[in-house]
Amino acid sequence: MTQTLAPPIRIGRPAMAALGTLAVATSVLESVMAPALPLLQRELDVSPAVAALLPITTLIAGALVTPVAGKLGDRYGAKLVLMRLMAVVAAGGLVSALAPNLPVLLVGQVLQGAMMGVLPLSFILVRKYLPPGDAQVAIGLVTGLFIGGGMVGTLIAGPLAEGLSRHAMFGLPTLVIVAATVTVARVMPRDPAGRPGAGVDWPGLALLSGTMLSLMAGLAILPEIGARPVVIVAVVIVTIGFGTAFVLVERRAAAPMVDLAMLTAPGMWTSCVMTLVVCVGSASATYLVPQLFGVSGDGYGFGISATATGLLLLPSLITSAASGPIAGFAVRRYGSRPVAVAGIAVMAATLLVLAAAHAELWQLVVGKAVIALAAGLCVTAMLTGTTGAVAQADTGIATGLVLVARVVGSALGIQASAVLLTAGTDPVSGVPGESGFVLGFVLAGVVTATSLLVHTFRRKEVQA
């Protein structure tokens, strides 16, 4: 007697819509901080250097959570882990919305960092429940919505903070996250658990935390310690020490937090490096362009409000949201490498053009929109190329590594740009000099262009 096999479970538009809404809402909650930093500095009575800890804290927490989320999703089922992770994010949003002071707000930002796990867990689900070609498009769609959500957060942060309060700025996206999570729980099938394994690698998590914190803290205080080389050397030694210990521990761990062995898969380490470098360039533009909108210097800058800045960034929102689906279709037709190379070349050229041409609003608006599109193409191409190069059971781990590179690159780009502006700020007027913006765009363009060299190694590695 022949046994009839049940047809494979497929997810439809309601499930994809719920995942997309969740991606948008979490990214909005992540991004509302940056444009509202001056307001938070005034209300919390803190310096710009201290206020910068808020977005960096979220990025660092996200970099730590992302690989753990991907691994646990592969092991225990992505839906189960996603639901629990979103409960942590919702708690973080609530704490941030009710925070009366900086320490409590920092706690909320740490909890919100768990939102970075939404992407690898979503990738696991769509790859399990969609055919390979549709899965590539779905990954591009979710990635594009996550990127676009970041621009939505930038767009609405000013009106919410200035029109309502900083509490509403965190509270409203949190309500959307709760609603989207409930919808995903109802419409998404429960995926079975994968391979069994050990628990969380706490030593690895602690050492990676130390590496990230020492690196970001060193960059943040660089303008103040620039004249004290002994302190700089000490910070470098501490960072290298944490990083070296992390690698040694992870190589010996039975169930490492970050599976460094995965980097030996064809194209993996180069995908991570390319993603990191590209995100350094794109994050630099994300920081510098709004700052140039808001500053009012002698012959440069425009001195406009946070609300007006959000409106000027609307074209970037559109191109960011479109970049994921465009990249998904392009990768399916041309492959991930040509799409990544095209995006890198366009972004590097645009950054260098902005270094010379930023005297008119339209130049910054168009340049930022092009950079947003190019960055989305690059990151999505790296993610889709990575998911196609590893076994299905390793999807969460592999994409987690790439997303960690994205978070680290974004944090480095923001912090490095902030250091350049701080170093060039007039001590009397407090206005950053135009040279800081020019140098920031030039360095971002040069750094982005170097990823083309990494791509050459990646192509040879994959061919071998």
Side-chain angles (χ1 to χ4, degrees), residues 35-113:
L37 274 179
L39 181 146
L40 292 173
Q41 289 169 207
R42 294 192 300 269
E43 290 199 0
L44 300 175
D45 192 23
V46 296
S47 67
V50 173
L53 293 174
L54 291 167
I56 295 298
T57 297
T58 307
L59 286 172
I60 292 176
L64 300 174
V65 167
T66 298
V68 175
K71 178 178 293 186
L72 294 179
D74 284 332
R75 185 179 300 163
Y76 300 114
K79 181 182 177 181
L80 175 65
V81 177
L82 181 62
M83 296 299 99
R84 295 182 177 181
L85 209 61
M86 289 303 102
V88 175
V89 174
L94 180 62
V95 170
S96 296
L98 300 177
N101 52 43
L102 180 66
V104 177
L105 186 53
L106 283 171
V107 172
Q109 294 304 297
V110 170
L111 296 175
Q112 284 181 207

Side-chain angles (χ1 to χ4, degrees), residues 155 293 304 307-316 361 365:
L155 186 66
F293 283 149
I304 59 180
T307 300
T309 295
L311 292 173
L312 290 172
L313 292 174
L314 182 58
S316 298
L361 277 176
V365 171

Side-chain angles (χ1 to χ4, degrees), residues 97-152:
L98 300 177
N101 52 43
L102 180 66
V104 177
L105 186 53
L106 283 171
V107 172
Q109 294 304 297
V110 170
L111 296 175
Q112 284 181 207
M115 70 181 72
M116 302 296 182
V118 70
L119 284 184
L121 294 171
S122 298
F123 297 159
I124 293 171
L125 289 171
V126 300
R127 198 173 180 199
K128 283 184 178 180
Y129 295 123
L130 289 175
D134 293 341
Q136 283 188 329
V137 176
I139 288 173
L141 176 63
V142 173
T143 304
L145 289 172
F146 188 83
I147 296 172
M151 297 306 300
V152 171

